[in-house]
């Protein structure tokens, strides 16, 4: 029988800390959005419309990268202090590739890396 792969993703609009648990093995990775403060300032010089289009494009790219990690898991917890997790969840629920995934979004405060791992393990009751 295939073991369940759990994925916790602490995220905001700038980075996503992915914690995948498969059996007793924990694998961590980080995905960064390319829409940084510097990128915002540079694109704003060409106008607000340009900045907004750049933000939408780079945010979509960021969410696609997170989605690629989510496809590897069976049960997914999106958590963090901003609306980014809800924005991603709304996109994923409309995509048939994620139809068989159990995805939950939870709001929480900023956590240290160890607190993030503990939160994920506790949520999935993995000890």
């Amino acid at each position: 029988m295939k073991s369940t792969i759990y994925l916790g993703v602490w995220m905001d609009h700038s980075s996503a800390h992915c914690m995948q648990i498969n059996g007793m093995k924990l694998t961590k990775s980080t995905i960064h959005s390319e829409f940084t403060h510097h990128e915002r300032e540079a694109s704003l010089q060409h106008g607000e419309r340009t900045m907004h289009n750049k933000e939408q494009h780079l945010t979509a790219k960021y969410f696609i990268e997170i989605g690629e990690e989510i496809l590897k898991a069976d049960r997914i917890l999106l958590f963090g202090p901003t609306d980014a997790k809800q924005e991603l969840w709304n996109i994923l629920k409309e995509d048939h590739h994620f139809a068989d995934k159990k995805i939950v979004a939870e709001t929480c405060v900023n956590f240290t890396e160890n607190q993030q791992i503990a939160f994920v393990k506790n949520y999935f009751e993995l000890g």
Side-chain angles (χ1 to χ4, degrees):
M1 180 176 177
K2 179 184 167 246
S3 66
T4 301
I5 299 173
Y6 300 90
L7 179 68
V9 181
W10 182 96
M11 65 182 296
D12 58 19
H13 287 95
S14 63
S15 63
H17 302 273
C18 304
M19 295 147 279
Q20 184 184 70
I21 302 170
N22 187 356
M24 297 302 290
K25 183 179 178 187
L26 170 69
T27 306
K28 299 180 289 185
S29 63
T30 303
I31 299 168
H32 295 282
S33 172
E34 292 179 28
F35 192 71
T36 63
H37 178 71
H38 176 72
E39 185 64 42
R40 177 183 173 85
E41 294 299 317
S43 61
L44 193 54
Q45 291 177 355
H46 299 285
E48 192 169 323
R49 174 183 257 170
T50 300
M51 186 270 306
H52 183 68
N53 287 339
K54 185 82 162 192
E55 178 183 22
Q56 284 186 316
H57 173 74
L58 293 177
T59 298
K61 182 178 176 188
Y62 172 58
F63 285 170
I64 288 169
E65 289 180 48
I66 298 169
E68 290 171 358
E69 287 298 310
I70 289 172
L71 284 173
K72 300 173 189 175
D74 302 301
R75 295 192 55 206
I76 299 92
L77 170 64
L78 304 175
F79 64 110
T82 69
D83 292 336
K85 66 195 165 301
Q86 193 65 43
E87 292 170 25
L88 176 60
W89 187 79
N90 288 336
I91 292 168
L92 298 177
K93 72 180 182 179
E94 298 297 323
D95 187 332
H96 74 278
H97 293 99
F98 300 93
D100 64 336
K101 304 293 179 185
K102 294 181 182 176
I103 304 172
V104 176
E106 294 282 332
T107 299
C108 66
V109 297
N110 284 325
F111 287 149
T112 65
E113 183 177 327
N114 287 338
Q115 289 171 322
Q116 291 172 14
I117 294 167
F119 187 79
V120 172
K121 286 182 176 180
N122 184 53
Y123 183 85
F124 290 123
E125 299 176 351
L126 299 173

